[in-house]
Amino acid sequence: MKYIFTLFIFMATLAFADTLSRENAEATVHLDKVSLQLHWKYQFEFAGFIAAKEKGFYEEAGLDVELKEYVHGMNVVEEVLSKKSNYGIYNSNILLGYLNNQPLLLLSSYFKRSALILITKPGIKSPTDLVGKTIMSSGEDDFNINFKSLFDIYDINTGTLKFVEHTYSVDDFAASDLDAMTAFISDQPYCLNKLGVKYNIINPSDYGTFNLQLELFTSQEEALSNFSRTKKFRDASIKGWQYAFTHQEEIIEIIYNKYSKKNSKDFLKNEAKEIRKLILPFTYSIGSIDKNYLSRQLEIFKQNYHLKNDKTVDDFIFDESVKDNQLELTEGELEYLKSHKIINVCLQYNQFPYDGYENKAHTGIMSSIFNIISENLNVEFRAVTTTSHNDLMSKVLNKKCEILSILPTQSKHFPNIIATKPFVKSHFTLISELDKSFIQNPMQLKDKLLLVQFPIYKDYLIHLYPYLTIEVEEDVNKLMKKIFDGTAYASLEVDEKADYLVDKYGYGKLKINGFLAKDKPIPGSIGVQKDEAVLFSIMQKALENISEQRIETIINSWRLTRYQNRTDYHLVIKILMVVGFIILLMAYYQRKLQHFNIELEKQVKEKTRELQEINESLEHTVQEKVEELIQKDKILTVQSKQAVMGEMISMIAHQWRQPLSTITLQISNLQIKRMMGEAVDDVKVEDTLNKISDTIMYLSDTVDDFQTYFRTDKTSTRVEVHEVLEKVANFVLPRIQNINLEIKKEEEIYVDVYINELMQVIINIVNNAIDSFEGIQRENKKITLYAQSKDENVCICVEDNGSGILEQDLNKLFEPYFSTKGKNGTGLGLYMSQMIIEKQFNGKINVQSSQEGSLFIVEIHKSV
């Protein structure tokens, strides 16, 4: 009996321990269960949401998400409004539903081109060919929502069309007398190609119209009741899409093995390629919403459906800034706030504009942040001032305050303080005397003494740059004295504070001299006493409820204008003249680009009509390929020209920065001498004016070079090849850092060419060579340009010792949209370069590459 009783106690203890363990685990990790209703079957169209679930992005946001596959006949909007699902993916119907007073909110818009198209029999090329024809569609109402705008362009009443119920099978289209069917461009053309079926595509995007697809939405009730959850779900979904595009093969394996094997892996790979073209992740921010387009679509719907209301898109789009004053607090947190109407906040010493105290009140960035939180929580934050870093430490340790206004997130200097999640980040700015050169590379600071005010700054910077010599000087007056007397080279301060120090200790003496940790800024948090767990939870929620945009606006409002000019009005006039010239130049090219786009649209429409008339007598296969290539070439040409235009304008800025700094320094030197009472003779003034005049002439020459580059004339010019290479070197010079660019010349080679087009090709190859050095350590970085005569041809060579090109990428190097640079590349540069060389110069581009570098050889005739 004794043993039985002992055994019973032992078993009960184990059961109790197991229950307690499970309860603790559940209390530690609580995930909100939510569901997303898809509007089709599991495939790559929903890869971002699958990636967010499978890679833990939803879980990191505190969400347990169920992805619900579409069932035929289901109404996705009703699923969300009836609370069967929290969120949904749907199309233009949600905008029409909003106009019909359904309480819907748009969270994200993914597709930037029309995904829903019309697939027609080969003889049907235009909407006009469909009059009286039979179309397989989800219904006339659904067809009008997505395609009425397209048919309105041709003044075609969709009532003249015949509709049959959609079976969603390409086999039915191929085997029947149907004239057309609505289809998704991402997968159904692939299926028809597999069957060997001939067809044509009418794409609304080609006609300047668009229909909404893959729109993430929810109900107003869900967004208002669970604002934070809705925002986290949206952001985690975007993160999932970013992962899906950078790990395409992995996500395809997950979809195929875990979700659905209905479609082959080849099907999913093709779909992934087409989905990328619809989302355009390198052109638009994933999930971004175009309010201008939505407004136009809203007005079209109002007109088409005779809706008389004053609804706007502003009330249709989820706005994360409107919930700053609504927090989801627990009963315990609410009780805490009722009993703590005043909360003490210790202010950081000498940290303006982040923390300040003026006229017996808290001021600065953190004052604005605490004011927002105070309004949301209905409590008062009382400022506790400090006179030194030691005083601050003492008051925090002795619990004179429940909160520390702001501190670096990783700080270990306050053992009884726990930091919230970071809500602000800042890089470091160098402050030095005027005679110091601007620091482009942190290695230039090696063996130079740098000063910071706080040990945490030193620890953070030494971790990033272990070769730097950094000392701590908490007294800012002593710190500045060491800079002025030459003891220290420069001071390092968080960027927002730097301009205040320059302002306080004198313009004309100090300047912003460079930046550190821009790629890894130091994060900042609010600190809470460790024994104030409830308060910590409240502050965490309050911070999360303030949008990033609002915090950024607050920070910018406390910034001083950098690089002020105070007394020299002649200098102001000169600078305004230069800036005005730049603006006029940019306006000229902007106007020219707009004119080009208008002309291009006219030409596209004219050529389209001409091709439609001519192609009636041609073979259908030839017709399709010609239209496809023409459309592709025009789009790529526009994109390439826009990319080049952006790079050239950036280069103008780089080319002008140093000369303008030189002019400013020369004028400042004269000012300083006059302010200090030194005599300035006429010879010195004349010499300075001559130097300024020479610099302005250099700026004028630079403008002439860039203006010549963008001329649109097509006249060939006889030129010595190495002169072209010299101009290329001048264009790319602002991008070169620690790279030796060499031009070898063994003999003079004269060619008769289109100079601008040839320069565009060489500049693009040289820019790629410069990019190949990113992320690699090499002592002698080198790019060599040279030319070789080869009978009636000339070979122009660009050779570098960069990272080289992977063997598997060589075959795809000249394909459109293929880039080895990720989001930093358009994938058009080399494709357009090859087109220019082959079509305009009747030449070719060859590539040789290894781990030791790459060699590009552009071979063209000496006379075009």
Side-chain angles (χ1 to χ4, degrees):
M1 186 68 182
K2 175 180 178 182
Y3 294 111
I4 293 174
F5 179 78
T6 303
L7 180 62
F8 174 78
I9 293 297
F10 176 74
M11 295 295 290
T13 303
L14 285 178
F16 176 79
D18 180 66
T19 301
L20 184 61
S21 174
R22 276 184 277 134
E23 288 177 351
N24 288 337
E26 291 174 1
T28 304
V29 182
H30 173 71
L31 301 177
D32 278 353
K33 290 184 178 295
V34 297
S35 59
L36 171 66
Q37 179 60 60
L38 310 178
H39 72 135
W40 197 240
K41 306 299 182 180
Y42 295 130
Q43 50 193 65
F44 202 89
E45 181 182 349
F46 308 111
F49 310 107
I50 293 173
K53 178 178 176 66
E54 297 300 326
K55 303 310 295 183
F57 301 140
Y58 285 140
E59 187 174 349
E60 289 174 4
L63 303 174
D64 178 8
V65 178
E66 178 188 2
L67 302 179
K68 299 165 72 173
E69 197 173 35
Y70 179 79
V71 177
H72 183 66
M74 172 184 288
N75 187 318
V76 178
V77 171
E78 285 303 317
E79 291 292 308
V80 173
L81 291 179
S82 64
K83 300 182 182 179
K84 294 178 182 177
S85 296
N86 303 87
Y87 309 101
I89 295 290
Y90 209 30
N91 54 27
S92 299
N93 276 285
I94 60 173
L95 179 58
L96 184 59
Y98 163 73
L99 288 173
N100 283 306
N101 298 316
Q102 288 183 318
L104 301 174
L105 282 177
L106 179 63
L107 304 181
S108 295
S109 181
Y110 295 99
F111 287 168
K112 304 307 177 190
R113 290 176 59 83
S114 288
L116 196 64
I117 59 170
L118 288 171
I119 291 180
T120 67
K121 292 297 171 66
I124 298 175
K125 300 294 184 180
S126 165
T128 56
D129 299 331
L130 282 169
V131 175
K133 297 294 193 297
T134 302
I135 302 174
M136 185 163 63
S137 170
S138 298
E140 186 173 356
D141 290 341
D142 188 73
F143 184 89
N144 284 332
I145 288 175
N146 293 293
F147 294 102
K148 188 177 186 303
S149 297
L150 170 61
F151 283 83
D152 284 345
I153 296 175
Y154 292 88
D155 294 324
I156 297 173
N157 186 342
T158 54
T160 62
L161 308 176
K162 301 174 184 177
F163 297 98
V164 297
E165 187 66 24
H166 215 311
T167 64
Y168 304 100
S169 170
V170 295
D171 295 325
D172 293 339
F173 172 78
S176 69
D177 294 330
L178 290 170
D179 299 297
M181 72 172 180
T182 60
F184 259 72
I185 197 171
S186 56
D187 54 8
Q188 286 165 299
Y190 171 86
C191 297
L192 288 171
N193 291 336
K194 282 290 186 181
L195 294 173
V197 176
K198 300 296 183 181
Y199 61 91
N200 186 45
I201 288 177
I202 297 177
N203 190 334
S205 294
D206 296 337
Y207 297 84
T209 64
F210 184 69
N211 48 62
L212 296 175
Q213 299 290 337
L214 205 69
E215 309 297 306
L216 177 62
F217 74 99
T218 189
S219 65
Q220 291 181 6
E221 181 180 351
E222 168 68 18
L224 292 172
S225 301
N226 301 283
F227 174 83
S228 179
R229 181 170 78 186
T230 300
K231 181 178 181 297
K232 288 177 180 178
F233 180 83
R234 180 201 62 183
D235 293 346
S237 299
I238 293 172
K239 193 173 181 181
W241 272 111
Q242 292 168 343
Y243 187 93
F245 282 132
T246 54
H247 300 78
Q248 180 176 305
E249 295 292 335
E250 177 189 353
I251 298 304
I252 287 174
E253 289 292 330
I254 291 174
I255 295 172
Y256 183 77
N257 293 317
K258 195 168 181 179
Y259 283 82
S260 174
K261 293 187 177 181
K262 177 183 177 182
N263 300 310
S264 67
K265 292 182 183 179
D266 285 339
F267 174 97
L268 295 173
K269 288 179 181 178
N270 177 78
E271 186 189 14
K273 181 177 70 174
E274 297 300 324
I275 291 295
R276 183 185 292 269
K277 293 178 184 178
L278 294 172
I279 292 182
L280 298 172
F282 300 136
T283 305
Y284 300 92
S285 297
I286 295 176
S288 61
I289 298 172
D290 187 337
K291 289 182 66 175
N292 291 329
Y293 165 73
L294 273 181
S295 296
R296 292 197 302 271
Q297 190 75 3
L298 181 139
E299 293 304 320
I300 290 172
F301 279 177
K302 282 184 178 180
Q303 179 180 345
N304 289 345
Y305 294 94
H306 310 291
L307 299 172
K308 299 183 183 298
N309 58 49
D310 57 355
K311 288 183 178 291
T312 67
V313 296
D314 291 329
D315 294 328
F316 179 54
I317 299 173
F318 175 68
D319 185 358
E320 62 186 70
S321 66
V322 301
K323 277 290 285 190
D324 280 353
N325 60 348
Q326 300 182 40
L327 283 169
E328 300 172 21
L329 301 177
T330 65
E331 291 185 7
E333 291 165 345
L334 292 172
E335 286 298 323
Y336 181 94
L337 293 175
K338 286 181 181 178
S339 58
H340 296 76
K341 287 298 182 181
I342 297 177
I343 300 174
N344 295 312
V345 179
C346 282
L347 307 187
Q348 282 279 4
Y349 169 69
N350 204 5
Q351 274 290 64
F352 192 79
Y354 272 105
D355 254 351
Y357 193 78
E358 188 176 5
N359 297 326
K360 297 182 180 181
H362 189 190
T363 185
I365 293 170
M366 292 311 300
S367 170
S368 299
I369 298 292
F370 279 110
N371 284 341
I372 294 173
I373 298 175
S374 176
E375 291 177 6
N376 294 344
L377 300 180
N378 194 28
V379 296
E380 176 188 347
F381 291 101
R382 179 180 294 167
V384 178
T385 60
T386 57
T387 57
S388 66
H389 184 67
N390 289 335
D391 184 34
L392 174 64
M393 288 284 293
S394 173
K395 287 179 177 176
V396 171
L397 290 173
N398 292 319
K399 299 185 178 180
K400 300 295 184 182
C401 52
E402 291 81 25
I403 290 176
L404 176 56
S405 178
I406 187 171
L407 79 164
T409 306
Q410 299 98 333
S411 175
K412 306 298 182 187
H413 294 269
F414 299 93
N416 59 323
I417 289 291
I418 182 171
T420 63
K421 290 181 181 178
F423 66 94
V424 66
K425 293 181 180 180
S426 182
H427 59 269
F428 288 87
T429 298
L430 279 163
I431 304 172
S432 71
E433 291 187 285
L434 292 175
D435 60 345
K436 302 295 190 297
S437 300
F438 190 85
I439 300 300
Q440 298 281 0
N441 190 319
M443 285 298 295
Q444 295 174 256
L445 295 171
K446 190 175 181 181
D447 300 326
K448 292 180 171 61
L449 178 60
L450 306 174
L451 301 178
V452 296
Q453 272 193 273
F454 303 103
I456 181 64
Y457 292 173
K458 176 181 177 180
D459 295 344
Y460 189 80
L461 289 167
I462 289 295
H463 174 71
L464 297 178
Y465 312 100
Y467 49 82
L468 294 184
T469 303
I470 300 177
E471 292 183 2
V472 177
E473 177 54 73
E474 294 185 6
D475 189 322
V476 68
N477 294 315
K478 292 180 180 179
L479 183 148
M480 286 300 166
K481 184 176 183 300
K482 289 181 180 179
I483 293 177
F484 287 128
D485 65 21
T487 304
Y489 179 82
S491 167
L492 280 164
E493 264 298 349
V494 289
D495 187 62
E496 292 76 14
K497 185 178 177 181
D499 290 306
Y500 283 89
L501 291 179
V502 173
D503 183 66
K504 180 178 180 180
Y505 288 92
Y507 281 91
K509 298 179 182 179
L510 298 171
K511 69 175 183 178
I512 302 301
N513 195 35
F515 307 97
L516 291 182
K518 267 200 164 184
D519 56 337
K520 294 183 179 179
I522 186 169
S525 303
I526 290 177
V528 182
Q529 294 282 357
K530 284 186 176 179
D531 57 2
E532 293 281 357
V534 177
L535 178 59
F536 175 81
S537 175
I538 293 171
M539 295 303 296
Q540 186 67 65
K541 290 180 179 179
L543 282 174
E544 289 177 352
N545 224 31
I546 306 176
S547 69
E548 292 180 7
Q549 292 88 339
R550 190 167 186 183
I551 291 176
E552 185 177 350
T553 301
I554 290 171
I555 293 173
N556 290 336
S557 70
W558 284 97
R559 287 183 182 274
L560 282 181
T561 302
R562 190 159 285 177
Y563 311 126
Q564 301 177 43
N565 297 289
R566 295 189 168 183
T567 57
D568 193 336
Y569 296 105
H570 295 290
L571 178 60
V572 171
I573 292 172
K574 291 177 181 178
I575 292 175
L576 287 175
M577 289 174 65
V578 172
V579 172
F581 179 77
I582 294 174
I583 293 173
L584 287 174
L585 184 66
M586 294 175 68
Y588 168 75
Y589 282 113
Q590 182 66 25
R591 186 177 181 85
K592 193 172 182 180
L593 182 61
Q594 289 174 348
H595 178 71
F596 173 78
N597 287 336
I598 292 170
E599 289 299 316
L600 183 62
E601 282 185 20
K602 292 180 181 178
Q603 292 177 21
V604 169
K605 291 179 180 179
E606 291 174 4
K607 293 297 181 183
T608 300
R609 284 195 295 269
E610 291 174 7
L611 286 171
Q612 289 171 349
E613 294 173 1
I614 296 171
N615 286 347
E616 290 179 343
S617 62
L618 298 177
E619 290 292 331
H620 297 316
T621 54
V622 175
Q623 294 171 349
E624 293 166 357
K625 294 301 179 184
V626 169
E627 288 180 356
E628 180 182 342
L629 288 174
I630 289 175
Q631 188 67 19
K632 179 180 178 183
D633 286 351
K634 287 178 179 176
I635 292 172
L636 292 178
T637 299
V638 172
Q639 292 175 338
S640 175
K641 287 293 184 182
Q642 290 174 340
V644 171
M645 181 78 75
E647 290 180 1
M648 292 300 103
I649 292 174
S650 176
M651 288 178 182
I652 289 176
H654 279 290
Q655 288 281 64
W656 282 30
R657 184 175 289 114
Q658 186 60 40
L660 289 175
S661 297
T662 301
I663 292 173
T664 302
L665 184 59
Q666 289 169 337
I667 295 174
S668 296
N669 286 339
L670 290 177
Q671 286 181 313
I672 291 171
K673 287 184 178 181
R674 286 181 175 174
M675 290 170 61
M676 297 181 67
E678 294 182 15
V680 182
D681 56 31
D682 293 339
V683 175
K684 180 63 176 177
V685 173
E686 184 68 20
D687 180 62
T688 301
L689 292 175
N690 287 336
K691 290 179 180 179
I692 292 173
S693 178
D694 291 341
T695 305
I696 292 173
M697 288 300 297
Y698 168 78
L699 295 175
S700 178
D701 291 342
T702 303
V703 172
D704 290 340
D705 285 344
F706 280 93
Q707 190 174 19
T708 300
Y709 177 80
F710 280 106
R711 284 178 183 161
T712 57
D713 60 277
K714 275 290 185 180
T715 305
S716 62
T717 306
R718 185 168 178 79
V719 66
E720 206 282 318
V721 171
H722 295 89
E723 292 180 12
V724 177
L725 297 182
E726 289 287 348
K727 287 188 176 183
V728 169
N730 289 333
F731 274 123
V732 302
L733 194 60
R735 291 199 63 211
I736 294 178
Q737 296 181 6
N738 302 322
I739 301 174
N740 180 24
L741 179 61
E742 179 183 4
I743 300 176
K744 288 184 179 180
K745 182 178 179 181
E746 297 180 358
E747 61 177 324
E748 290 191 346
I749 304 173
Y750 285 88
V751 293
D752 190 10
V753 295
Y754 302 122
I755 294 180
N756 290 347
E757 280 74 9
L758 182 58
M759 284 182 61
Q760 179 180 342
V761 172
I762 305 302
I763 287 172
N764 183 67
I765 295 174
V766 173
N767 276 329
N768 286 344
I770 294 170
D771 293 337
S772 71
F773 289 104
E774 290 186 4
I776 67 169
Q777 299 294 327
R778 189 156 290 171
E779 293 183 1
N780 183 24
K781 298 180 179 179
K782 187 175 182 181
I783 299 174
T784 306
L785 309 181
Y786 57 95
Q788 296 175 338
S789 183
K790 184 179 178 183
D791 299 328
E792 296 300 316
N793 294 346
V794 61
C795 295
I796 302 173
C797 303
V798 180
E799 187 174 3
D800 67 74
N801 62 346
S803 58
I805 303 167
L806 296 176
E807 183 176 351
Q808 61 265 32
D809 291 342
L810 282 173
N811 293 332
K812 300 180 285 185
L813 207 57
F814 296 96
E815 293 180 4
Y817 299 110
F818 175 79
S819 174
T820 61
K821 305 174 189 175
K823 288 189 176 181
N824 296 320
T826 64
L828 295 176
L830 286 176
Y831 174 76
M832 293 303 303
S833 297
Q834 186 184 55
M835 287 179 60
I836 291 170
I837 295 300
E838 290 181 353
K839 294 186 177 182
Q840 300 188 31
F841 293 87
N842 197 24
K844 60 183 178 180
I845 302 177
N846 293 320
V847 185
Q848 301 171 16
S849 186
S850 68
Q851 293 182 351
E852 301 303 316
S854 301
L855 171 62
F856 280 74
I857 304 171
V858 180
E859 183 175 347
I860 59 175
H861 292 296
K862 290 182 179 178
S863 178
V864 296

